[in-house]
């Protein structure tokens, strides 16, 4: 998924193989990993929902720690539920906020207090509202605050769309209208103004600086094509062209902005949506000036359409892959040239449906996915699948090395980590801390030690961010590894 701050080219983001080999044999070659090696069919965590119509699931960081949480909206129960992440791939129900007819969720710091607030687009009495639930910093959301948009529409993004550095809202709808609602910086928004009318619909949209002029432009999923709107910097836009003209009608669908090839330009992944009646995906490679070339297209099979797409680097090779869901759920890896390959199906049943979210749910440094799912004969559930790219290899390394005993606790920890290890013979030992990209961030011990149990404490410097780290012990020609999480 594209990040608007602190982003770099995918080649700069990719791991250095030499650093990984120096750390431990976690992954022999990221480029040779297949999607079937990353995820297994059976979910790692399941939570039964007592509902009949969940409509949107997103991953967010709400309660002050770096662990991803989940937010679920339910149109039948007329509520929004938040689930606190435990850092091991499991979640706990935390809060229920009652709100009717929710159609889409987003998070953003709309009151500029440093934490993520929750926004929901809702239809009430044939009018469109955006409801804001302000976060107190601990994950407790306020009573919804409404802003009247009166735009119609089913999708929106929160972005710094003008020059005042206050989060604004951009809304699109199937009739082809695009609206802009100015943010006031306190969680409220002004009534929306129509800034563009697309004759071919505006079923999904996203924002990014496509022409490198410093402001956020708009990419629209329109009927048969991709459309670009250039931001003039004052809340107005200029049409930038249509691209692709792919076959078949489109109704619904989704887009995500991503890095798909080795240049620094932004690209787009498209899921074509309901009107196709089948699973159709497209990739568009950006040219750096706001124009695109369509490069990948194909029907993957299955019985129903994809209505949601998330771009993320599941195999950690530096290129965004794709997570598609709807009546079917697929992971597709990126070959590095913008083509999505090796579709792995987790289910495909037109009686089923799902919405999904992506995040590092078990704090091991790779990306996992969650989704809500049911069939005609089963209840709704939240299911989590954990990525095995790093997790499995760590487990295999720990199991294989049994003559070295190493323990690191507590995990998660905040300020200090206790490390204990046992030697059965005198030995020269090395005790290091690595991050998950293979970079050594601290050397704790490098000395001769006697044959007994030893203990030490790692107190990270303030500059070391929260996240997942590896404690690595080398002694007697062997290596032991333990994973820890700093909060």
């Amino acid at each position: 998924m594209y990040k608007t701050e602190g982003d770099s080219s995918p080649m700069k983001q990719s791991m250095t193989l030499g650093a990984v080999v120096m750390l431990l044999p976690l992954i022999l070659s990221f480029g040779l990993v297949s999607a079937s090696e990353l995820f297994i069919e059976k979910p790692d965590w399941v939570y039964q929902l007592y509902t009949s119509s969940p409509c949107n699931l997103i991953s967010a960081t709400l309660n002050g720690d770096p662990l991803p949480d989940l937010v679920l909206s339910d149109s039948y129960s007329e509520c929004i539920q938040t689930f606190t992440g435990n850092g091991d791939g499991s979640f706990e129900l935390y809060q229920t906020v009652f709100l009717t007819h929710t159609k889409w969720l987003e998070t953003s710091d709309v009151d500029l207090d440093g934490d993520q607030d929750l926004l929901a687009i809702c239809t009430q009495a044939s009018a469109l509202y955006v409801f804001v639930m302000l976060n107190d910093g601990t994950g407790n959301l306020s009573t919804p605050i409404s802003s009247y948009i009166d735009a119609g529409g089913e999708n929106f993004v929160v972005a710094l769309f003008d020059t005042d550095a206050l989060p604004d809202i951009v809304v699109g709808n199937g009739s082809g209208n695009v609206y802009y609602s100015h943010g006031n910086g306190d969680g409220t928004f002004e009534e929306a103004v129509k800034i563009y009318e697309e004759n071919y619909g505006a079923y999904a949209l996203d924002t990014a600086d496509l022409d490198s002029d410093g402001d956020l432009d708009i990419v629209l999923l329109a009927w048969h094509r991709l459309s670009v709107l250039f931001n003039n910097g004052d809340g107005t836009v200029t049409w930038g062209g249509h691209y692709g003209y792919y076959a078949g009608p489109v109704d619904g669908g989704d887009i995500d902005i991503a890095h798909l090839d080795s240049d620094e330009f932004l690209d787009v992944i498209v899921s074509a949506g309901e009107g196709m009646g089948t699973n159709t995906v497209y990739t568009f490679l950006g040219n750096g000036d706001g124009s695109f070339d369509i490069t990948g297209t194909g029907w993957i099979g299955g019985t129903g359409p994809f209505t949601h797409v998330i771009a993320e680097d599941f195999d950690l090779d530096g290129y965004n892959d794709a997570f598609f869901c709807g009546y079917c759920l697929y992971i597709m890896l990126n070959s590095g040239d913008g083509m999505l390959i090796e579709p792995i199906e987790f289910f495909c049943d037109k009686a089923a449906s799902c919405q999904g979210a992506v995040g590092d749910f078990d704090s091991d440094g790779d990306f996992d996915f969650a989704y809500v799912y049911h069939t005609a004969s089963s209840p709704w559930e939240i299911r989590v699948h954990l990525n095995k790219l790093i997790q499995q290899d760590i487990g295999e390394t720990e199991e294989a090395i049994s003559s070295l005993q190493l323990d690191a606790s507590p995990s998660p920890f905040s300020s200090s980590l206790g490390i204990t290890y046992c030697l059965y013979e005198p030995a020269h030992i090395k005790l290091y801390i690595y991050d998950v990209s293979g970079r050594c961030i601290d050397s704790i011990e490098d000395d001769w030690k006697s044959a007994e149990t030893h203990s030490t404490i790692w107190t990270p410097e303030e500059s070391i961010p929260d996240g997942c780290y590896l404690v690595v012990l080398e002694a007697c020609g062997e290596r032991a590894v333990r994973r820890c999480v700093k909060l």
Side-chain angles (χ1 to χ4, degrees):
M1 184 179 296
Y2 174 69
K3 305 294 190 300
T4 58
E5 297 180 358
D7 199 19
S8 59
S9 71
M11 299 307 292
K12 294 179 181 178
Q13 294 174 352
S14 62
M15 287 187 179
T16 303
L17 183 59
V20 176
V21 171
M22 180 180 67
L23 170 59
L24 76 164
L26 291 180
I27 307 155
L28 295 178
S29 174
F30 289 152
L32 299 179
V33 174
S34 66
S36 60
E37 296 177 87
L38 302 183
F39 298 98
I40 60 176
E41 183 177 354
K42 181 180 179 181
D44 296 278
W45 183 79
V46 176
Y47 180 90
Q48 182 174 335
L49 297 167
Y50 297 94
T51 182
S52 61
S53 188
C55 58
N56 198 208
L57 179 72
I58 64 171
S59 174
T61 303
L62 297 177
N63 64 342
D65 64 30
L67 303 177
D69 309 308
L70 293 176
V71 185
L72 175 70
S73 65
D74 188 307
S75 58
Y76 180 82
S77 301
E78 299 184 344
C79 69
I80 294 173
Q81 294 179 313
T82 63
F83 296 81
T84 299
N86 296 318
D88 60 358
S90 67
F91 296 83
E92 296 179 8
L93 177 62
Y94 183 75
Q95 185 181 8
T96 298
V97 179
F98 292 96
L99 188 62
T100 61
H101 304 296
T102 301
K103 305 181 78 172
W104 199 256
L105 299 172
E106 292 283 350
T107 58
S108 179
D109 183 12
V110 295
D111 58 355
L112 308 178
D113 65 351
D115 49 50
Q116 294 293 299
D117 308 301
L118 181 66
L119 297 90
I121 191 169
C122 306
T123 53
Q124 297 186 1
S126 301
L128 185 78
Y129 292 83
V130 169
F131 285 85
V132 176
M133 288 141 277
L134 299 178
N135 188 349
D136 68 358
T138 67
N140 291 308
L141 301 177
S142 70
T143 301
I145 304 169
S146 66
S147 292
Y148 179 58
I149 302 297
D150 193 27
E154 299 186 2
N155 57 83
F156 74 107
V157 293
V158 183
L160 302 178
F161 200 64
D162 50 29
T163 58
D164 63 3
L166 301 177
D168 310 304
I169 292 176
V170 180
V171 182
N173 64 24
S175 299
N177 298 320
V178 179
Y179 297 84
Y180 154 75
S181 180
H182 176 73
N184 298 316
D186 59 358
T188 63
F189 296 85
E190 298 177 3
E191 186 171 339
V193 177
K194 185 165 69 173
I195 57 175
Y196 183 73
E197 183 172 353
E198 169 62 68
N199 294 329
Y200 300 98
Y203 300 105
L205 56 84
D206 205 350
T207 58
D209 186 5
L210 303 176
D211 53 0
S212 304
D213 64 352
D215 50 37
L216 297 180
D217 310 302
I218 301 174
V219 179
L220 298 176
L221 175 59
W223 190 279
H224 297 288
R225 67 203 75 198
L226 201 70
S227 297
V228 172
L229 305 178
F230 291 123
N231 190 344
N232 297 323
D234 58 358
T236 64
V237 296
T238 301
W239 181 70
H242 290 137
Y243 300 96
Y245 200 85
Y246 36 81
V250 175
D251 182 12
D254 197 17
I255 62 175
D256 204 2
I257 296 175
H259 282 296
L260 298 178
D261 55 9
S262 58
D263 62 31
E264 70 273 20
F265 306 137
L266 296 176
D267 313 305
V268 177
I269 301 177
V270 171
S271 61
E274 295 278 358
M276 293 304 300
T278 186
N279 300 322
T280 312
V281 301
Y282 303 90
T283 56
F284 293 79
L285 297 187
N287 298 313
D289 58 358
S291 66
F292 292 88
D293 297 319
I294 187 169
T295 58
T297 178
W299 282 260
I300 314 178
T303 60
F306 295 135
T307 56
H308 191 47
V309 59
I310 300 175
E312 200 56 271
D313 187 6
F314 290 106
D315 57 358
L316 300 182
D317 65 351
Y319 303 101
N320 285 139
D321 310 302
F323 167 84
F324 295 98
C325 59
Y327 290 121
C328 302
L329 191 152
Y330 279 80
I331 297 287
M332 297 185 70
L333 298 185
N334 184 354
S335 61
D337 57 2
M339 298 294 292
L340 299 177
I341 59 174
E342 294 192 33
I344 298 299
E345 177 186 304
F346 289 87
F347 71 82
C348 204
D349 182 352
K350 201 161 186 178
S353 62
C354 75
Q355 289 288 335
V358 171
D360 183 9
F361 299 136
D362 57 354
S363 306
D364 65 352
D366 52 29
F367 293 101
D368 316 301
F369 69 85
Y371 59 98
V372 289
Y373 170 83
H374 90 121
T375 66
S377 59
S378 66
W380 284 97
E381 297 174 333
I382 297 178
R383 296 182 174 186
V384 174
H385 289 254
L386 300 179
N387 192 334
K388 312 303 180 185
L389 181 66
I390 292 179
Q391 182 190 64
Q392 278 188 339
D393 291 318
I394 291 175
E396 291 169 2
T397 303
E398 292 177 347
E399 183 178 353
I401 302 176
S402 58
S403 60
L404 288 180
Q405 294 187 5
L406 173 65
D407 183 62
S409 63
S411 182
F413 72 98
S414 57
S415 57
S416 297
L417 178 71
I419 301 172
T420 302
Y421 59 92
C422 182
L423 300 177
Y424 293 99
E425 61 182 88
H428 184 275
I429 70 102
K430 294 182 180 181
L431 189 62
Y432 299 110
I433 304 294
Y434 286 82
D435 63 20
V436 294
S437 69
R439 182 173 63 94
C440 180
I441 64 169
D442 206 346
S443 176
I444 301 176
E445 292 184 352
D446 186 353
D447 202 357
W448 278 92
K449 297 291 182 179
S450 58
E452 58 183 317
T453 299
H454 300 267
S455 297
T456 188
I457 294 176
W458 177 48
T459 302
E461 297 180 357
E462 292 184 0
S463 60
I464 294 179
D466 294 344
C468 180
Y469 295 93
L470 301 175
V471 182
V472 180
L473 172 66
E474 294 180 349
C476 305
E478 297 180 343
R479 174 179 289 164
V481 180
R482 290 295 179 267
R483 180 166 56 92
C484 61
V485 178
K486 178 179 179 294
L487 301 181

